[in-house]
């Protein structure tokens, strides 16, 4: 099991860091080139979805986990509203096309305000489907 956690400022200019982690992980798992590209694009869209909704001056926590057969990426950030992500948006369509599974939820578990969590799973066979 591989687990990587990163926290970045909620700033779109920092998204290349998440794409770089995704690419490095895909290479280390010997994913095919198509799956690597899909994973990078999916992580970019996941990060953009969270960053654009995040509270100003906050951080986005991103966790990459792999059991060898798949990579699950989860990004979480405090948000200004408890409104759900628009699942009819182009960005959501990109996520659901590139990843085997995608989930999203807005919670307020500790009373500090709403937090958005978006998670996706990519498998190497995804590119061949």
């Amino acid at each position: 099991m591989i687990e990587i956690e990163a926290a970045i400022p909620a700033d779109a200019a920092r998204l290349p860091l998440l794409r770089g982690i995704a690419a490095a992980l895909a290479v280390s798992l010997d994913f095919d080139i198509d799956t690597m590209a899909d994973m990078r694009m999916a992580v970019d869209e996941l990060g953009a979805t969270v960053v654009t909704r995040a509270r100003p001056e906050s951080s986005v926590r991103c966790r990459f986990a792999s059991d060898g057969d798949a990579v699950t990426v989860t990004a979480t950030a405090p948000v200004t509203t408890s409104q759900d992500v628009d699942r009819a948006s182009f960005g959501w369509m990109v996520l659901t096309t590139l990843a085997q599974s995608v989930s999203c939820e807005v919670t307020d578990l500790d009373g500090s305000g709403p937090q958005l969590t978006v998670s996706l799973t990519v498998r190497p066979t995804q590119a061949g489907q």
Side-chain angles (χ1 to χ4, degrees):
M1 178 88 158
I2 297 171
E3 292 184 8
I4 301 166
E5 291 191 36
I8 63 167
D11 178 356
R14 304 300 179 138
L15 292 176
L17 295 169
L18 298 181
R19 285 194 307 265
I21 293 169
L25 184 55
V27 167
S28 75
L29 294 170
D30 203 25
F31 283 8
D32 62 84
I33 193 83
D34 290 332
T35 303
M36 284 186 227
D38 287 353
M39 192 162 119
R40 282 178 47 117
M41 286 188 288
V43 167
D44 189 55
E45 190 58 44
L46 172 131
T49 299
V50 176
V51 162
T52 58
R53 304 249 341 260
R55 282 187 216 150
E57 308 297 319
S58 67
S59 292
V60 175
R61 291 185 329 264
C62 194
R63 180 176 178 268
F64 297 78
S66 175
D67 60 5
D69 292 335
V71 174
T72 299
V73 183
T74 304
T76 303
V79 291
T80 55
T81 176
S82 59
Q83 182 179 0
D84 199 8
V85 170
D86 180 3
R87 294 171 194 250
S89 70
F90 179 74
W92 190 260
M93 183 179 70
V94 169
L95 281 173
T96 57
T97 299
L98 296 173
Q100 182 167 0
S101 65
V102 182
S103 65
C104 172
E105 67 178 340
V106 179
T107 58
D108 186 0
L109 300 177
D110 60 6
S112 65
Q115 287 204 31
L116 172 64
T117 300
V118 181
S119 183
L120 63 84
T121 300
V122 175
R123 294 187 187 286
T125 57
Q126 184 69 22
Q129 294 179 353

